[in-house]
Amino acid sequence: MSTYTTDRASPFTRAVVSSMRKLYPEALADQSWDNTGLLLEAPFDPIRRQMNSVLLTIDLTKAVADEAIERKDCVVVAYHPIIFRGLKSLTLSDYQQQSLLRLALEGISVYSPHTAVDAAPGGLADWLADIVTGHLPNPEPSTHTAKQGATEDIPEEGEAEEGSGTQTPSEQPTEEKKKPQRPRPKMQRTYSKPTYPSHRPVDASKTDLEAASVDHTRSVISPVTGVEGFEGAGMGRLVTFNESQPLTHLVERIAHGVGSPKGFPLAIPQGKQVEDIQIRSVGVSAGSGHSVLKGVDADLLFTGELSHHEALAATEKGQCVITLFHSNSERGFLSSVLKHKLTATLKEEWERVRKEEAEGEQLTDEWEDAIKDEDVLVECSASDRDPYGVVILESSKQEGKPMR
């Protein structure tokens, strides 16, 4: 007679956890504040066994939880920990706890590697360094800032540019017309819908960026030692080019490498022009980079985010800053690197776990069915994105000063 196993996670969950720990040992993480590892261990439910699949995401949001439940994934690997501090209760009134409770109910576990991925050789920091040292087809494209007084063609009033996300009255849904609405003020401008970087993998077959092909030296900013087999690990990377690189070229490489966003913040010292700036060294850190990059002597700081005062302090020292909105410095790594590494390692680990479990005694029929399933699937979430998108003011005269 089959029994409901409440004290064990599924065997596939065990294989996923061991795979992640092989690739990114928790000892690499910054344990002074981070919370990495298996954060939610869901019990195996033989009645509604999940697929042998893993969903990769940067943030475990409600939308991602919905996606995992619909897909019947076994494990969500969420780069950012959804649990940072001790919990005194688990209730449905808290949206994050609600996601955890719903996932547990469905038998879906959650693992978070976070700064272990940042520090690992070939991990997130090296991926960003590979992008900034990449090369676009020769010659690399010239990049120019807008010239003062430049204008764009402005469509006739009531028209909207294709793909702008603005609807003309004739395009409004029929049911909207039936509802009495207050008159809307005339819109003199057209705004795009919020845009986000694509999830396109950065590999040779899908982008023209040839990663890590410009001559340079690379060092770890804050080394992590004592983890066997992971020599050279640590937080952040300092890239020094053999020859100075135009800042405009680095902007192009970064845009290609992280999914061609419509734009991202760039800070330069006052009195400088983007086209004239040459970069010899780059400090690189994913996410919120201040703790890693503070005190780093580099011409350019490349990270996910810096505060206003941190960026201002950098430009006052003569440094340039490129930020991508926090998670846009991390998300592309999932599809470009982690998906492939985890798939390869997980296939080996799942085979090992299946053999070990098969040698066990008194296996239930449901447990035997679970370990007979040879499938392994790792996918990136289609719902995961940074909270911030870029909204572009279209079809209007340029206002303000061009970047100098």
Side-chain angles (χ1 to χ4, degrees):
M1 181 177 178
S2 63
T3 58
Y4 184 88
T5 309
T6 59
D7 60 347
R8 301 178 68 185
S10 72
F12 188 75
T13 299
R14 175 185 163 195
V16 173
V17 171
S18 61
S19 298
M20 289 299 299
R21 287 173 174 164
K22 270 191 170 183
L23 292 170
Y24 309 105
E26 292 163 36
L28 294 177
D30 189 342
Q31 299 177 15
S32 65
W33 61 271
D34 204 0
N35 187 34
T36 59
L38 183 61
L39 303 189
L40 176 66
E41 186 176 23
F44 175 66
D45 184 350
I47 299 174
R48 46 183 178 182
R49 181 169 65 86
Q50 303 303 308
M51 306 290 289
N52 284 357
S53 58
V54 181
L55 188 64
L56 304 180
T57 184
I58 294 297
D59 294 301
L60 179 47
T61 60
K62 179 180 181 297
V64 173
D66 290 343
E67 183 181 1
I69 292 170
E70 182 178 355
R71 287 167 42 89
K72 299 186 182 300
D73 291 307
C74 182
V75 180
V76 174
V77 172
Y79 170 79
H80 287 146
I82 192 170
I83 302 173
F84 258 115
R85 300 171 184 85
L87 300 175
K88 293 186 177 181
S89 63
L90 281 170
T91 68
L92 296 174
S93 61
D94 182 287
Y95 76 95
Q96 289 185 317
Q97 295 173 14
Q98 181 185 112
S99 292
L100 288 172
L101 290 168
R102 291 175 61 230
L103 291 172
L105 181 65
E106 297 291 336
I108 302 174
S109 299
V110 177
Y111 186 93
S112 174
H114 204 202
T115 53
V117 174
D118 296 357
L124 186 47
D126 277 318
W127 176 72
L128 291 173
D130 288 347
I131 289 173
V132 84
T133 59
H135 191 270
L136 291 166
N138 197 21
E140 293 197 75
S142 298
T143 308
H144 302 283
T145 52
K147 295 185 180 297
Q148 194 163 8
T151 62
E152 300 176 7
D153 293 335
I154 304 176
E156 295 297 325
E157 186 173 339
E159 294 181 355
E161 290 188 352
E162 183 178 355
S164 67
T166 302
Q167 293 177 311
T168 63
S170 62
E171 295 173 324
Q172 297 292 343
T174 304
E175 55 269 25
E176 291 288 330
K177 292 181 178 179
K178 295 179 181 178
K179 295 179 181 179
Q181 295 180 346
R182 291 185 301 174
R184 296 177 61 187
K186 289 185 178 180
M187 299 296 293
Q188 300 298 326
R189 299 173 179 171
T190 303
Y191 294 86
S192 72
K193 293 180 179 179
T195 62
Y196 307 88
S198 72
H199 293 268
R200 180 186 63 216
V202 181
D203 58 44
S205 64
K206 297 185 179 180
T207 182
D208 51 2
L209 179 69
E210 185 181 350
S213 58
V214 176
D215 291 337
H216 69 283
T217 58
R218 188 181 304 188
S219 59
V220 175
I221 294 174
S222 181
V224 174
T225 59
V227 182
E228 186 178 354
F230 288 83
E231 293 73 19
M235 306 299 174
R237 299 293 184 267
L238 179 61
V239 170
T240 303
F241 295 106
N242 291 9
E243 297 182 1
S244 295
Q245 305 288 303
L247 175 59
T248 54
H249 287 188
L250 301 187
V251 169
E252 291 281 352
R253 296 170 193 171
I254 291 168
H256 279 70
V258 301
S260 298
K262 290 291 186 181
F264 47 78
L266 168 62
I268 61 175
Q270 292 191 24
K272 299 284 188 178
Q273 295 189 17
V274 175
E275 296 89 346
D276 298 333
I277 296 177
Q278 297 287 316
I279 301 296
R280 186 67 184 271
S281 56
V282 185
V284 176
S285 178
S288 298
H290 176 67
S291 62
V292 175
L293 298 177
K294 62 183 178 182
V296 171
D297 184 15
D299 299 330
L300 171 66
L301 303 181
F302 173 37
T303 185
E305 64 176 324
L306 289 182
S307 73
H308 166 86
H309 294 290
E310 292 160 358
L312 184 61
T315 57
E316 287 293 284
K317 291 191 296 183
Q319 295 176 304
C320 299
V321 177
I322 290 178
T323 62
L324 299 174
F325 301 120
H326 187 113
S327 66
N328 290 342
S329 65
E330 304 157 339
R331 186 162 289 102
F333 178 82
L334 302 184
S335 58
S336 300
V337 180
L338 181 54
K339 176 181 176 179
H340 309 293
K341 282 190 172 183
L342 181 56
T343 298
T345 303
L346 183 54
K347 286 181 178 179
E348 296 177 358
E349 282 298 293
W350 181 224
E351 184 63 25
R352 179 186 65 79
V353 169
R354 290 175 62 232
K355 289 181 179 178
E356 289 182 359
E357 292 289 341
E359 295 171 357
E361 297 180 357
Q362 298 181 341
L363 298 178
T364 64
D365 294 340
E366 293 85 359
W367 199 265
E368 286 187 358
D369 288 342
I371 63 176
K372 286 178 181 178
D373 188 347
E374 299 179 0
D375 291 342
V376 170
L377 180 65
V378 179
E379 293 290 351
C380 296
S381 169
S383 305
D384 181 40
R385 62 168 175 80
D386 195 87
Y388 288 106
V390 176
V391 177
I392 300 171
L393 174 61
E394 300 175 341
S395 306
S396 68
K397 295 182 179 180
Q398 176 187 330
E399 295 181 3
K401 297 179 180 179
M403 185 162 44
R404 295 294 182 188

